[in-house]
Amino acid sequence: MATLEIKNLHVAIEDKEILKGVDMTINTGEIHAIMGPNGTGKSTLSAAIMGNPNYTVTEGEVLFDGKNVLELDVDERARLGLFLAMQYPSEIPGITNAEFLRAAINAKRGEADKISVMEFIKKLDQNMELLSMKEEMAERYLNEGFSGGEKKRNEILQLLMLEPTFAILDEIDSGLDIDALKVVAKGVNSMRGDKFGALIITHYQRLLDYITPDVVHIMMDGRVVKTGGAELAKRLETEGYVNIAAELGIEYVEEV
Ligand code: ADP
Ligand code: MG
């Protein structure tokens, strides 16, 4: 079993404190969901865990099996087994999807343990089939001209190919129609097991109808304000953030 521990994490963007002390422990075998209104710091949390240099950790720790993640470079974090599916994946013209995936797998495995071309193609075919992706997607430039749904599906393809220990999926459901949502859920559910843990960030409950979380955290204004089981997400669906905020005595103005 592996553990990802987030301890009293404070994160600032350009001197503005966004995360105000987040605590969370994720073990492999578990799927956690973070739900929260827009602008509460969900993407900030994922960026800080992955080491985006625009986000400054001012206090607290992130530990992977006790190892301090915050002192590692982004690529070292990936090699350690952390993966982030981004809310807004970048387009990289000039590198095909397949080339990118193979380079990423090899970077993670290291020089001595490179994936063979045969093994790579087999794995790619299997995973693309699981995600109902057209074969031509492998030879297209990374994310270039991909629709919103194709980008998200492609992030899940990266997840399945890289097989990280911990994945953070930032709003992987945004802009997806129901069929694409089911495919994304199928991909994530196929990773479930003793060797994998995930943190699923979402604004809406919908995705969690297809990926049942073990733990649900509600985040507001840079803090985890409530933690519960899958039923907490269901409650949010019927009651909305307003009622939960009111119950906790937190000021919250709903976006219109
Ligand atoms: P969420 O993912 O929960 O919607 P974010 O983590 O993206 O929230 O943003 C948290 C807060 O940080 C928001 O108030 C947002 O306006 C602010 N923020 C994000 N990026 C920047 C930036 N580059 N400069 C200043 N503030 C930012
Ligand atoms: Mg976000």
Side-chain angles (χ1 to χ4, degrees):
M1 189 185 81
T3 304
L4 184 67
E5 268 178 293
I6 301 160
K7 287 184 171 175
N8 189 32
L9 194 68
H10 291 247
V11 176
I13 308 172
E14 291 167 6
D15 297 335
K16 184 182 165 207
E17 186 174 56
I18 309 289
L19 294 189
K20 302 167 182 172
V22 171
D23 291 283
M24 199 173 289
T25 301
I26 305 166
N27 296 309
T28 45
E30 298 173 355
I31 294 195
H32 290 230
I34 296 189
M35 304 186 68
N38 287 323
T40 44
K42 304 185 298 298
S43 293
T44 301
L45 177 64
S46 59
I49 296 171
M50 284 315 291
N52 182 323
N54 299 328
Y55 297 76
T56 312
V57 174
T58 53
E59 207 182 322
E61 290 180 300
V62 178
L63 305 172
F64 185 122
D65 278 348
K67 192 179 165 76
N68 181 2
V69 166
L70 298 177
E71 68 187 12
L72 303 176
D73 293 338
V74 178
D75 60 313
E76 292 173 319
R77 296 183 202 205
R79 243 177 280 139
L80 193 61
L82 295 175
F83 172 89
L84 172 64
M86 283 190 277
Q87 185 170 3
Y88 305 106
S90 315
E91 301 194 358
I92 307 185
I95 300 177
T96 69
N97 215 3
E99 284 166 350
F100 171 80
L101 284 168
R102 207 162 131 227
I105 290 172
N106 284 333
K108 194 177 164 216
R109 287 195 179 195
E111 205 51 46
D113 184 35
K114 283 192 169 175
I115 190 166
S116 74
V117 175
M118 287 298 287
E119 194 191 339
F120 174 75
I121 291 173
K122 193 172 153 211
K123 191 169 169 160
L124 183 63
D125 283 348
Q126 275 172 356
N127 286 326
M128 287 183 74
E129 195 181 321
L130 181 89
L131 299 174
S132 312
M133 288 174 78
K134 287 191 222 108
E135 251 172 74
E136 56 148 56
M137 295 296 287
E139 295 312 322
R140 299 236 327 244
Y141 288 146
L142 182 58
N143 287 320
E144 193 187 45
F146 286 21
S147 70
E150 284 170 342
K151 281 184 185 168
K152 299 289 169 149
R153 228 178 258 229
N154 206 47
E155 294 289 292
I156 299 300
L157 178 64
Q158 289 173 19
L159 169 73
L160 298 187
M161 293 298 287
L162 289 169
E163 300 178 279
T165 308
F166 289 106
I168 305 170
L169 310 177
D170 192 358
E171 303 228 5
I172 197 75
D173 49 340
S174 69
L176 294 186
D177 61 32
I178 197 75
D179 291 328
L181 191 77
K182 284 183 184 169
V183 167
V184 160
K186 187 175 159 194
V188 176
N189 285 328
S190 78
M191 289 288 295
R192 263 187 197 265
D194 305 350
K195 295 199 175 91
F196 176 73
L199 183 57
I200 296 176
I201 296 175
T202 179
H203 183 74
Y204 299 104
Q205 195 268 341
R206 201 176 61 145
L207 178 65
L208 306 180
D209 286 337
Y210 301 98
I211 306 172
T212 309
D214 300 292
V215 183
V216 174
H217 309 273
I218 296 178
M219 196 161 159
M220 285 183 182
D221 193 25
R223 289 188 179 90
V224 173
V225 295
K226 198 171 172 68
T227 295
E231 75 291 342
L232 187 54
K234 296 270 180 219
R235 235 194 98 191
L236 260 181
E237 187 184 24
T238 48
E239 296 180 32
Y241 290 107
V242 176
N243 286 309
I244 297 210
E247 181 186 293
L248 296 166
I250 296 167
E251 213 175 301
Y252 171 66
V253 183
E254 198 163 21
E255 277 178 48
V256 279

